[in-house]
Amino acid sequence: MNVTAKTSESLKRRSLLKLGAGLAAVLSLTMPLAACSVEDPLARQANAGDNKNYIAGDGSVTEYAPETRGEPVELAAELFDGTAEDSADWAGKVTVLNFWYAACAPCRLEAPALQSLSREFQDQAQFFGVNIRDEKPTAQAFERNFGVTYPSFADKDGDILLAMTRYVPPQAVPTTLVLDQQGRVAARILGVADKGTLKALIKDAVAE
């Protein structure tokens, strides 16, 4: 009986030790995830400058009525080809900004639709990509592979991403913003941009 009792007690202790170790392992995995669940995680990462673990969007669309839109976007930065762009020159044009990077699977998925719409609306709207991670050769390889002809900003340092949080936080990659003819954010798509949805948003902005 004593041997049985000792054996039983030993098994219980081993079980408790295993359970404790298991809980510790679970906590060590979940605590960093919980720490990432903060408002506007992309801005936080842009501020840190690490460009890692971007959160994917769900394709949700937000439209902003003209009377609720904030100030025109102020943006001055260089494209990958070295051309300087200033949003002050965008007045009177509808502008589409798409945040992307080459290894982003949803970015690859939506690239053909964005290119198609950029051609369809070439006389009514201008398109710019905002590449948040890649060096120039990687970005250019992506553009060649998917036939993307509109230019992209080089934003590996996160300056544009961080600046946009003053207006409408991107919050996911990819994110697509439609700016009205005054340069204000008229709509935002978090995640893959559905071609029909984006087309409708652009047409609405052009018609205003």
Side-chain angles (χ1 to χ4, degrees), residues 106-123:
C107 300
R108 293 169 174 266
L109 183 62
E110 69 177 5
L114 288 165
Q115 171 60 21
S116 177
L117 290 173
S118 74
R119 303 299 297 170
E120 182 175 347
F121 289 96
Q122 61 183 333
D123 296 327

Side-chain angles (χ1 to χ4, degrees), residues 22-67:
L23 287 173
V26 171
L27 287 172
S28 68
L29 290 172
T30 57
M31 287 179 69
L33 293 177
C36 290
S37 300
V38 296
E39 185 177 359
D40 200 6
L42 286 187
R44 183 173 180 178
Q45 289 182 351
N47 197 34
D50 55 19
N51 284 333
K52 296 177 180 178
N53 302 321
Y54 280 87
I55 297 173
D58 58 3
S60 59
V61 180
T62 305
E63 294 185 76
Y64 303 91
E67 64 273 14

Side-chain angles (χ1 to χ4, degrees), residues 80-105:
F80 273 112
D81 64 7
T83 302
E85 279 287 338
D86 193 322
S87 59
D89 300 326
W90 299 351
K93 306 173 187 176
V94 170
T95 301
V96 178
L97 296 177
N98 175 255
F99 292 79
W100 69 283
Y101 62 91
C104 162

Side-chain angles (χ1 to χ4, degrees), residues 174-188:
T175 283
T176 302
L177 303 178
V178 178
L179 310 186
D180 65 17
Q181 297 175 60
Q182 297 180 45
R184 304 174 301 173
V185 178
R188 178 185 67 180

Side-chain angles (χ1 to χ4, degrees), residues 156-173:
K156 190 175 181 181
D157 58 7
D159 287 349
I160 297 174
L161 183 65
L162 195 61
M164 289 305 300
T165 62
R166 294 174 48 198
Y167 309 100
V168 177
Q171 293 185 326
V173 176

